[in-house]
Amino acid sequence: MNPDTGGIPFIMNISKIFLLTLIFFSRPSAQGITEKGVIVGINYATYTGPDSKFEMNGNNNAPQRILRYVFGGFIKYKLTESWGFQPELQFSMKGAHYDNSTQGLKEIVEFRPNYLDAPLLFVYSGVEKTKFYAGLYYGMLCGGKYY
């Protein structure tokens, strides 16, 4: 359903974004914020799996990697001396590139979806200078382009 029509899927997506923002900026009744920061990185992405091949002009092409970016932020809450909780909110650009150029004819197809990702991580830092992360991850498609 088109978001311009104001349908139920659009309302559900807005409510998910609101919930993620609330989780990210809420302050649990723990010992408080111990770290906060910015996340900036690179996604060297592609598609994998049995459905990743893309058929163009009778050729069954495998996807090639594409360079995209990720940015966002995190807040770490201290729960105990060794344990913490770290919600993150990231805007992640992913995708794949298919090249079907043959005999001088250049034919390229790219998928460039954008995601709003929200990892909710528990952090264990009991060992000196070593941290272990585990948790849930929610990703929501929020647009993109197909070339």
Side-chain angles (χ1 to χ4, degrees), residues 29-55:
S29 61
Q31 297 179 10
I33 298 173
T34 57
E35 291 179 49
K36 54 186 169 183
V38 176
I39 297 170
V40 178
I42 295 174
N43 268 342
Y44 191 50
T46 191
Y47 296 141
T48 59
D51 296 335
S52 66
K53 302 237 188 275
F54 187 69
E55 187 171 332

Side-chain angles (χ1 to χ4, degrees), residues 99-119:
D99 189 354
N100 193 39
S101 300
T102 56
Q103 301 174 355
L105 177 63
K106 189 167 179 110
E107 186 175 16
I108 295 174
V109 175
E110 285 188 358
F111 295 95
R112 294 178 168 231
N114 300 320
Y115 287 86
L116 184 63
D117 296 330

